[in-house]
Amino acid sequence: MCGIVGFVGERDNMQQILQGMMDAIAHRGPDGQGQFIEGPAALGQRRLSIIDLEGGKQPMFNEDGNLAVIFNGEIYNFQELTAELMRAGHTFATRSDTEVLLHGYEEWGKDLLQRLRGMFTFAIWDRREQTLFCARDHFGIKPLYYYRNEDGELLFGSEIKSFLAHPGFKKELNEEQLPLYLSYQYSPGENTFFKGVKKLMPAHWMEWKNGTLTVQRYWQPRFSPDDSKTLEEWEQEIGDAMKESVQAHKIADVEVGSFLSSGVDSSYMAALAHVDKTFTVGFANKQYDETDYAKEFSEHIGVKNYAYRITPEEYWANLGKIQYHMDEPLADAASVALYFVNREAAKQVKVCLSGEGADEFFGGYNIYKEPFTVSWYDRIPLPIRRVIGAVAEKLPPVHGVNFLVRRSKPLEERYIGNTNLMDERRKKKLLKHYSSRTLPTDLSRPYFAQTKGQDAVTQMEYCDLNLWMVGDILLKADKMSMANSLELRVPFLDRRVFELACRIPTRHKVTAEQTKIAMRGAAEQTIPAKTADKKKLGFPVPVRAWLREEKYAAVVRDAFNTPAAEQFFNVKELNRMLDQHISGKRDNWRQIWCIFMFLVWYDEYFVKR
């Protein structure tokens, strides 16, 4: 696990520029660093040593020295690929999974990507062809950003903040991303909050040659339900697949631990992994505290649990640091708790397993129950539902009204992902420079088109797999673990697990009463039924309550009345929204937090720096 940076474009002081970029992401790899500079190419890497501690240094070269690679991630099938490549005549100098990328690229070219099982971003420089080739893993577990400046230079890296050290980078806010963020609570799609900076999307490669940049998708996840098996058969297959995946994800030359909340995903993971240590965070407020459960469950499976209770003071004190590490604003309050659990785990281990991906693969979100609830309402002709929804939209946004508004539209018009914080009417009131140039549905629509004819739950899963999981779940997992120099591995997000999950029929995933049906059944073979059947809580955080306390409401109000807030928002409307929440008239905490996190992030990148 590492961080990578680089650029293509000859300049004076290339070594100094590259070092500055590497220093900006030193937290991703405190164990070492390496550089390659030749002609127009500059490649840099910061290393967190996990596999082949002595021999895995980067940049790494192939036998004749023509190819140089820098790599962030882990290739879990590197041993079988190594054996296959050795049979084909390749000579390996290390035991590192990094070397598989070099020889695999020599042997198979871009087709190497179809053979990889793991989480990765990497860059290969071909010295003879003067070509840069970069790729990102199938599900987007590891991030990669890129930027082309006016001089035709290409910058790339694991984190946007590394670009700030390059004199050819022009730091400008992309304000067009703000309306999308207010709906999604994260920065969706390939564009970012920095003008010109793009994300290399999951399952994509890019190639720079002779000043031309080509970006292309190399793999597409597909759901293709198979009705031929019973629920019990699916449960058995899930159990077998997860046991194998967890063992593959434990390959390391350092100790591996596991995160543990009160949910089925992390509990199942910890039980399968047979690690020695689990890590949990909670809060003093019992409603938001999972530490007692974690201690009890850890004792049940015979491992030591390390629990930490976050105080409100330290939660709020670290918000600026956390938004800085995110690179882009993220309004998921659980990301802060994730920072602390990673911090505590990093004191004991270098690698931790976590449960991301189970909800998207196996139907875990409560919103997936919606197609099965009040289904009679959907039988009302759509034109009538649209009229009802138009009337309801003018009413205060309470629970029943929200239902009427949502169900007045077909799924592809209303569902943009697991979170839809603000509609266009709300954003028009809040924003000084509202733009409808790109609507949230413009991003989600292609995923509904690609799953046309499939059931509603499958369409929602596919949408979340491509938007929510990448933009929120995996973003915070990568950035919060790397901020603490900890490698986070996600055994659910494995190609072999997906090859199974994509064939499970919806009836074995979700009903009006239950989510993750087949996966819970598989988990029951390993953990107690009361844990396997536990209702999904997410990562509970007491922000709603804190925002009604004078001390913390004052912090937000101060932010809402800064010049930055005045620049982007209708400040009077912000304060009204906060007043409503404090008084208890409305539950506005998510909307308040979303705007507050943007302002905290903006302060980090455009006021302080």
Side-chain angles (χ1 to χ4, degrees):
M1 179 64 69
C2 313
I4 63 173
V5 297
F7 59 93
V8 183
E10 291 190 58
R11 279 183 171 268
D12 294 334
N13 304 318
M14 287 178 71
Q15 194 278 333
Q16 183 180 345
I17 294 168
L18 184 63
Q19 188 62 54
M21 295 175 72
M22 293 165 62
D23 290 345
I25 61 163
H27 48 275
R28 295 187 78 95
D31 294 338
Q33 64 173 29
Q35 294 184 349
F36 170 79
I37 300 172
E38 182 179 87
L43 310 181
Q45 186 251 14
R46 298 287 318 210
R47 188 180 184 210
L48 184 67
S49 305
I50 304 294
I51 293 176
D52 194 0
L53 306 185
E54 295 302 318
K57 293 181 175 62
Q58 299 178 34
M60 192 175 286
F61 298 86
N62 65 335
E63 296 101 325
D64 65 3
N66 178 56
L67 300 179
V69 68
I70 50 175
F71 165 50
N72 170 30
E74 303 290 350
I75 307 300
Y76 300 119
N77 62 339
F78 80 96
Q79 291 163 329
E80 57 194 77
L81 290 176
T82 296
E84 185 177 353
L85 287 162
M86 289 178 72
R87 288 194 296 270
H90 293 268
T91 302
F92 280 72
T94 73
R95 296 185 298 106
S96 169
D97 55 344
T98 306
E99 197 170 357
V100 160
L101 301 175
L102 285 167
H103 300 302
Y105 187 71
E106 283 182 298
E107 185 71 20
W108 302 305
K110 297 180 180 71
D111 289 341
L112 160 70
L113 301 172
Q114 304 294 345
R115 296 170 178 261
L116 297 178
R117 178 189 183 188
M119 56 179 186
F120 57 83
T121 55
F122 64 85
I124 293 177
W125 176 252
D126 187 318
R127 301 165 79 176
R128 279 193 293 270
E129 298 295 326
Q130 297 285 283
T131 299
L132 179 75
F133 178 76
C134 301
R136 188 178 182 189
D137 67 67
H138 300 75
F139 299 110
I141 303 167
K142 293 286 102 184
L144 190 69
Y145 303 91
Y146 64 97
Y147 171 84
R148 293 198 73 183
N149 63 21
E150 295 170 353
D151 297 326
E153 292 174 297
L154 175 71
L155 282 62
F156 66 90
S158 299
E159 299 188 14
I160 299 172
K161 62 181 65 66
S162 67
F163 298 168
L164 302 177
H166 194 289
F169 178 66
K170 189 176 181 182
K171 185 179 70 172
E172 294 179 278
L173 180 73
N174 175 18
E175 197 173 343
E176 289 184 11
Q177 201 72 353
L178 183 54
L180 290 170
Y181 164 78
L182 294 182
S183 288
Y184 281 97
Q185 87 169 12
Y186 57 88
S187 175
E190 69 170 353
N191 292 319
T192 71
F193 268 92
F194 294 88
K195 275 187 183 176
V197 176
K198 292 185 179 293
K199 305 160 194 148
L200 185 65
M201 297 301 283
H204 279 68
W205 56 257
M206 69 178 188
E207 185 177 72
W208 185 95
K209 188 172 185 177
N210 298 325
T212 299
L213 183 66
T214 304
V215 179
Q216 190 170 308
R217 185 155 202 158
Y218 64 83
W219 180 79
Q220 189 82 264
R222 298 289 187 198
F223 287 93
S224 51
D226 174 5
D227 285 317
S228 67
K229 294 178 182 175
T230 66
L231 174 59
E232 291 72 22
E233 288 174 318
W234 287 118
E235 290 171 352
Q236 185 61 49
E237 289 198 31
I238 292 169
D240 293 342
M242 286 308 303
K243 286 172 189 171
E244 192 278 334
S245 181
V246 167
Q247 291 311 305
H249 282 68
K250 280 184 67 182
I251 296 173
D253 292 335
V254 295
E255 185 180 359
V256 178
S258 188
F259 288 168
L260 180 61
S261 68
S262 66
V264 60
D265 304 340
S266 64
S267 300
Y268 187 31
M269 188 79 58
L272 288 176
H274 302 294
V275 295
D276 293 327
K277 295 167 185 169
T278 60
F279 302 92
T280 310
V281 293
F283 299 90
N285 187 324
K286 283 291 182 183
Q287 183 184 349
Y288 304 96
D289 189 63
E290 300 179 325
T291 55
D292 288 345
Y293 162 83
K295 181 181 178 182
E296 179 186 335
F297 184 81
S298 293
E299 288 174 355
H300 173 76
I301 62 174
V303 303
K304 182 171 177 53
N305 177 250
Y306 293 82
Y308 183 81
R309 285 193 172 97
I310 306 164
T311 67
E313 291 77 15
E314 63 184 341
Y315 185 98
W316 286 77
N318 281 279
L319 293 176
K321 179 198 294 185
I322 286 163
Q323 290 300 320
Y324 171 73
H325 276 291
M326 288 294 181
D327 275 339
E328 296 191 84
L330 179 69
D332 188 339
S335 63
V336 186
L338 193 59
Y339 170 83
F340 284 100
V341 75
N342 276 281
R343 186 191 73 179
E344 295 307 301
K347 295 174 182 178
Q348 303 286 336
V349 297
K350 269 192 169 183
V351 180
C352 253
L353 304 181
S354 189
E356 282 79 2
D359 293 313
E360 290 80 6
F361 280 18
F362 296 106
Y365 293 119
N366 287 322
I367 199 167
Y368 296 162
K369 296 177 182 178
E370 193 174 83
F372 308 105
T373 58
V374 201
S375 55
W376 61 266
Y377 191 79
D378 292 333
R379 291 195 287 273
I380 298 173
L382 182 60
I384 296 175
R385 281 187 281 131
R386 285 195 188 277
V387 171
I388 295 171
V391 173
E393 208 163 17
K394 293 178 169 48
L395 300 173
V398 296
H399 181 68
V401 169
N402 289 339
F403 168 84
L404 295 174
V405 173
R406 283 201 316 276
R407 297 294 262 269
S408 71
K409 302 172 185 176
L411 184 66
E412 62 270 21
E413 289 183 24
R414 72 174 187 262
Y415 192 79
I416 63 166
N418 203 262
T419 297
N420 190 348
L421 278 183
M422 301 188 204
D423 60 20
E424 301 311 300
R425 183 180 63 152
R426 189 82 183 109
K427 290 188 283 188
K428 282 179 188 176
K429 280 187 177 182
L430 286 168
L431 288 169
K432 281 268 183 76
H433 314 116
Y434 170 79
S435 169
S436 60
R437 186 178 303 174
T438 304
L439 296 173
T441 47
D442 293 333
L443 297 185
S444 58
R445 189 178 297 114
Y447 303 119
F448 283 96
Q450 290 163 21
T451 53
K452 189 175 181 180
Q454 295 189 284
D455 66 85
V457 172
T458 298
Q459 290 192 301
M460 289 193 284
E461 283 182 300
Y462 189 74
C463 184
D464 284 334
L465 193 63
N466 285 279
L467 285 170
W468 164 258
M469 189 175 77
V470 182
D472 183 302
I473 301 297
L474 294 177
L475 174 83
K476 68 178 187 257
D478 173 81
K479 297 297 176 65
M480 294 299 89
S481 59
M482 288 282 86
N484 290 285
S485 306
L486 182 79
E487 174 167 301
L488 202 62
R489 297 184 179 181
V490 284
F492 280 110
L493 274 177
D494 179 78
R495 285 185 68 189
R496 292 182 187 174
V497 175
F498 181 74
E499 286 164 7
L500 166 64
C502 72
R503 295 184 290 112
I504 301 173
T506 294
R507 71 176 186 276
H508 294 323
K509 291 181 178 180
V510 189
T511 64
E513 293 77 33
Q514 185 61 289
T515 59
K516 285 190 287 208
I517 297 166
M519 201 213 87
R520 291 179 193 276
E524 272 191 42
Q525 299 168 17
T526 306
I527 62 178
K530 68 174 183 178
T531 301
D533 294 335
K534 201 168 185 297
K535 184 180 176 182
K536 181 176 180 59
L537 294 177
F539 212 146
V541 178
V543 172
R544 176 189 283 112
W546 287 337
L547 288 174
R548 290 193 169 120
E549 294 181 23
E550 184 178 342
K551 177 180 180 180
Y552 300 114
V555 175
V556 175
R557 195 178 298 282
D558 286 347
F560 280 3
N561 291 282
T562 56
E566 180 70 37
Q567 182 180 346
F568 301 109
F569 298 100
N570 178 345
V571 169
K572 185 177 178 182
E573 190 67 23
L574 295 187
N575 283 283
R576 189 167 78 91
M577 187 165 60
L578 182 59
D579 289 337
Q580 287 175 336
H581 183 80
I582 293 169
S583 68
K585 289 181 180 177
R586 295 269 180 89
D587 184 4
N588 290 330
W589 84 267
R590 290 185 183 277
Q591 292 81 1
I592 292 166
W593 195 253
C594 187
I595 293 166
F596 179 51
M597 285 301 95
F598 168 76
L599 293 170
V600 170
W601 170 84
Y602 184 82
D603 189 59
E604 288 294 321
Y605 278 96
F606 288 91
V607 178
K608 291 180 180 176
R609 290 174 172 82

